[in-house]
């Protein structure tokens, strides 16, 4: 039997698919390949950088689907099915919206693959695929090691993705992770992670845990075990890490260069409404500067923070969002993302905006031919959707300007602290800058769609993008 694994692209620039220069090895594909029983031939195609050979014979196509790749994933699924190849779809999007995914597949897998994948392959082998398989979201990765040989030659960034824990116990209303894992958190035995990292042969690791500090004791156990490996790593974690000195010290000692941290907004009222518990205290600390203590701790430890902001809460105004950009510049974070709040399916935010009649694009923005990446998909409370799209783009443009880059680099506490940190800055800041502009306003999927909506036209004009 031959199995073909596919990682779909987001969408297209004009008429051809966008090539993601910042692409990394897709860990979920490596996990699926690792779980596949021996004796099954495995092929892998990454739609972000290569054409999919639809006519090459195969017995089963398995596609991983996120909300922003759903339109493209369905196009690919339809191509395989038109050639008589059965298709199985899995990932966060099919789990949270099974009926939609099922209409493009012979089988869908809801939840994690670990408990069900060998059954799916066996059923496909015997021509008896079931329409739905249910794995438990939050199954630890297990003893099988992701297969990374299938990634060779695809031009990925020289960083290996590894996962220790899955999920997060917080309940942020906009977060797919909270909806998918139902606020649970599970992690693997530390020895398994150490063994996996040792076998990588690479010194730079990205821990893709949704929240690497979801459980402080578990995180400390991992960091202690990483110290002797002398790797450098980056990860993602919530703000409460800064309140635990032992955790911070171990993090740095184990080789951490920095983390993606959701700052989201500077407004404690908005944080409360979004249920972003770890941030509320820091934003409202009352010393004149939101997150003053937290940022100081991150800087003391020399961490190169990727500050993620969410734009579009009900408290946000255009002026407030401009002040948020000034906050990011003032603190000279290494990276920052200015993400528009997105109504992802299955989240409380989606249900709230749907109930209030505020969703644009008929609700399913991810399938709308005229929707463009980084555009608002709902009506904000205190500005128009066009204004939100525009202010988010302006924030990205100013953040990525030359003056901002040089100013951020000149920070002796973080970006100029060591040679390794300087290298990281110059290797990745220009790359992510290019990718930010390339992806801005991209359409989902490859097939050309209908005329852009009034909102989209207005936003594009405001941005000066054709
Ligand atoms: C690492 C990561 C990234 C990396 C990309 C890594 C890469 N390989 O290229 C970076 C930082 C670049 C990134 C970017 C973005 N990301 Co991201 N990312 C992640 C993260 C944290 C981990 C992914 C991962 O490797 N997980 C580990 C694997 C093992 O888990 P998994 O993917 O869930 O797979 C398991 C199951 O879902 C299932 N499964 C998955 N696929 C399939 C397929 C089949 C056939 C089967 C049977 C089962 C199955 O089995 C797997 C094993 O159990 C996820 C969160 C998450 N937990 O998934 C967010 C996540 C996927 N990202 C998200 C988003 C929004 C983005 C961005 C759009 C952010 C932005 N605004 O720019 C961008 C766009 C990406 C792009 N292409 O440009 C959201 C997606 C929400 C949604 N509903 O789609 C997530 C869920 C984070 C969140 N908190 O909401 N991301
Ligand atoms: S802390 Fe982060 S991962 Fe956890 S629920 Fe909130 S946004 Fe999601």
């Amino acid at each position: 039997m031959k199995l073909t694994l596919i990682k779909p692209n987001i969408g297209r620039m004009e008429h051809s698919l966008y090539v993601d220069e910042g692409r990394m090895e897709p860990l979920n594909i490596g996990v699926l390949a690792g779980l596949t029983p021996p004796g099954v031939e495995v092929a892998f195609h990454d739609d972000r950088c290569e054409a999919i050979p639809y006519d090459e014979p195969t017995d089963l196509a398995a596609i991983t689907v996120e909300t922003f790749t759903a339109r493209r994933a369905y196009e690919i699924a339809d191509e395989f099915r038109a050639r008589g190849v059965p298709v199985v779809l899995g990932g966060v999007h099919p789990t949270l919206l099974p009926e939609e995914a099922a209409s493009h597949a012979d089988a869908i897998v809801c939840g994690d693959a670990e408990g069900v994948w060998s059954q799916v392959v066996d059923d496909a082998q015997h021509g008896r695929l079931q329409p739905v398989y249910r794995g438990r979201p939050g199954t630890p990765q297990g003893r099988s090691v992701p297969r990374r040989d299938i990634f060779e030659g695809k031009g990925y960034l020289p960083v290996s993705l590894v996962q220790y824990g899955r999920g997060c116990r917080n309940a942020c209303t906009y977060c797919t992770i909270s909806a998918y894992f139902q606020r649970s958190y599970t992690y693997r035995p530390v020895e398994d992670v150490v063994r996996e990292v040792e076998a990588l042969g690479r010194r730079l690791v990205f821990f893709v845990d949704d929240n690497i500090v979801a459980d402080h004791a578990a995180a400390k156990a991992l960091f202690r075990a990483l110290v002797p490996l002398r790797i450098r790593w980056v990860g993602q974690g919530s703000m409460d890490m800064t309140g635990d000195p032992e955790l911070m010290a171990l993090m740095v000692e184990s080789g951490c260069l920095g983390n993606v941290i959701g700052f989201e907004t500077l407004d404690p009222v908005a944080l409360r409404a979004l249920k972003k518990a770890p941030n509320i205290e820091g934003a409202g600390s009352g010393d004149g500067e939101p997150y003053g203590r937290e940022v100081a701790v991150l800087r003391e430890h020399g961490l190169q923070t990727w500050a993620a902001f969410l734009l579009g809460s009900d408290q946000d105004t255009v002026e407030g969002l401009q002040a948020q950009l000034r906050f990011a510049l003032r603190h000279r974070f290494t990276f920052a993302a200015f993400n528009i709040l997105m109504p992802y399916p299955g989240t409380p935010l989606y249900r709230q905006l749907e109930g209030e009649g505020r969703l644009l694009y008929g609700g399913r923005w991810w399938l709308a031919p005229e929707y463009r990446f980084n555009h608002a998909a709902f009506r904000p409370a205190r500005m128009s959707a066009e204004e939100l799209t525009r202010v988010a783009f302006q924030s990205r443009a100013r953040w990525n300007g030359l003056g901002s880059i040089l100013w951020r680099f000149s920070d002796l506490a973080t970006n100029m602290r060591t040679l390794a940190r300087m290298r990281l800055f110059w290797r990745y800041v220009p790359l992510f800058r290019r990718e930010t502009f390339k992806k801005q306003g991209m359409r989902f999927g490859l097939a050309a769609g209908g005329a852009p909506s009034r909102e989209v036209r207005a936003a594009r004009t405001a941005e000066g993008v054709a």
Side-chain angles (χ1 to χ4, degrees):
M1 177 186 174
K2 181 173 170 188
L3 163 72
T4 299
L5 298 169
I6 305 282
K7 165 80 185 165
N9 206 321
I10 304 183
R12 67 182 188 280
M13 309 180 68
E14 298 311 320
H15 301 293
S16 61
L17 281 170
Y18 144 80
V19 176
D20 182 353
E21 278 183 67
R23 62 187 175 277
M24 297 178 214
E25 298 173 349
L27 182 59
N28 46 26
I29 295 287
V31 167
L32 283 177
L35 291 171
T36 302
V40 175
E41 187 192 344
V42 176
F44 163 52
H45 304 293
D46 191 332
D47 187 45
R48 297 173 299 173
C49 60
E50 61 191 352
I52 298 171
Y54 292 110
D55 293 320
E56 212 173 86
T58 187
D59 302 300
L60 179 68
I63 309 174
T64 181
V65 191
E66 292 132 330
T67 302
F68 50 88
T69 58
R71 194 173 142 90
R72 177 65 187 145
Y74 299 156
E75 288 175 359
I76 297 169
D78 296 348
E79 289 282 351
F80 277 112
R81 296 179 89 204
R83 289 164 176 80
V85 176
V87 168
V88 51
L89 299 178
V92 287
H93 191 77
T95 301
L96 294 171
L97 221 46
E99 306 79 35
E100 180 189 287
S103 64
H104 295 272
D106 297 278
I108 59 166
V109 173
C110 296
D112 289 350
E114 277 76 3
V116 292
W117 184 240
S118 50
Q119 184 68 51
V120 176
V121 175
D122 191 61
D123 285 354
Q125 233 161 353
H126 294 95
R128 50 165 194 238
L129 269 178
Q130 306 296 307
V132 184
Y133 295 84
R134 292 186 197 283
R136 193 172 61 83
T139 317
Q141 188 175 292
R143 291 254 133 116
S144 93
V145 176
R147 262 185 69 183
R148 295 188 166 86
D149 57 301
I150 56 171
F151 299 145
E152 272 160 31
K154 298 198 194 286
Y156 295 122
L157 293 181
V159 49
S160 292
L161 276 59
V162 176
Q163 196 175 37
Y164 173 45
R166 291 184 176 167
C168 175
R169 294 189 185 120
N170 291 314
C172 307
T173 63
Y174 53 86
C175 181
T176 295
I177 292 308
S178 179
Y180 179 93
F181 291 101
Q182 296 287 303
R183 302 185 62 187
S184 68
Y185 174 69
T186 43
Y187 54 95
R188 305 160 65 191
V190 167
E191 317 81 78
D192 290 1
V193 181
V194 168
R195 213 172 304 120
E196 193 176 325
V197 171
E198 278 174 334
L200 289 174
R202 263 212 194 115
R203 304 300 307 280
L204 184 59
V205 172
F206 175 9
F207 281 104
V208 297
D209 297 40
D210 308 302
N211 184 358
I212 189 98
V213 297
D215 176 323
H216 287 205
K220 287 175 195 173
L222 174 71
F223 300 161
R224 276 192 202 101
L226 291 180
V227 174
L229 305 189
R230 304 184 61 79
I231 56 163
R232 294 194 203 292
W233 63 271
V234 292
Q236 324 191 93
S238 50
M239 191 74 91
D240 49 281
M241 67 171 80
T242 58
D244 186 335
E246 190 192 17
L247 180 76
M248 292 303 295
L250 281 169
M251 186 185 274
V252 174
E253 205 191 334
S254 66
C256 181
L257 293 174
N259 287 293
V260 179
I261 299 183
F263 281 71
E264 322 306 6
T265 158
L266 310 182
D267 183 339
V269 178
L271 289 166
R272 240 174 244 118
L274 297 169
K275 297 208 164 98
K276 184 81 189 189
N279 292 33
I280 295 172
E281 200 188 317
S285 52
D287 60 359
E289 180 67 342
Y291 302 118
R293 188 194 60 77
E294 288 75 5
V295 176
V297 172
L298 295 170
R299 287 172 59 75
E300 264 164 43
H301 288 84
L303 290 171
Q304 291 178 291
T305 300
W306 177 310
F309 295 96
L310 266 186
L311 287 70
S313 76
D314 282 357
Q315 284 66 34
D316 278 338
T317 58
V318 170
E319 297 70 31
L321 293 177
Q322 289 162 343
Q324 190 164 278
L325 168 69
R326 289 196 294 277
F327 166 88
L329 287 167
R330 199 157 57 242
H331 290 299
R332 295 192 278 185
F333 297 118
T334 306
F335 310 97
F338 297 91
N339 297 322
I340 290 179
L341 186 63
M342 293 305 293
Y344 281 111
T347 61
L349 176 76
Y350 189 95
R351 291 190 288 277
Q352 179 209 325
L353 293 171
E354 186 179 39
E356 293 168 2
R358 292 166 63 189
L359 293 177
L360 301 174
Y361 305 97
R364 299 204 178 204
W365 50 271
W366 55 91
L367 296 183
E370 71 277 21
Y371 177 73
R372 287 174 186 264
F373 191 62
N374 278 337
H375 283 211
F378 70 100
R379 277 187 206 89
R382 300 170 74 179
M383 67 188 96
S384 66
E386 293 89 323
E387 282 172 316
L388 177 54
T389 299
R390 195 179 317 133
V391 71
F393 179 71
Q394 285 163 348
S395 299
R396 282 182 212 116
R398 272 210 58 202
W399 180 259
N400 284 296
L402 193 60
S404 150
I405 292 178
L406 293 174
W407 157 246
R408 281 150 44 208
F409 178 63
S410 68
D411 190 348
L412 292 171
T414 58
N415 298 321
M416 286 183 68
R417 192 180 181 108
T418 60
L419 204 60
R421 284 170 170 74
M422 288 191 228
R423 261 199 232 112
L424 182 123
F425 188 95
W426 288 115
R427 169 98 216 239
Y428 291 105
V429 167
L431 171 67
F432 293 142
R433 171 187 197 270
R434 273 199 306 282
E435 287 301 307
T436 299
F437 288 119
K438 260 166 62 184
K439 277 198 300 204
Q440 172 74 22
M442 169 200 298
R443 301 257 188 113
F444 288 163
L446 181 58
S453 69
R454 189 181 55 79
E455 266 122 358
V456 171
R457 281 200 311 273
R460 301 289 294 172
T461 312
E463 285 162 20
V465 185

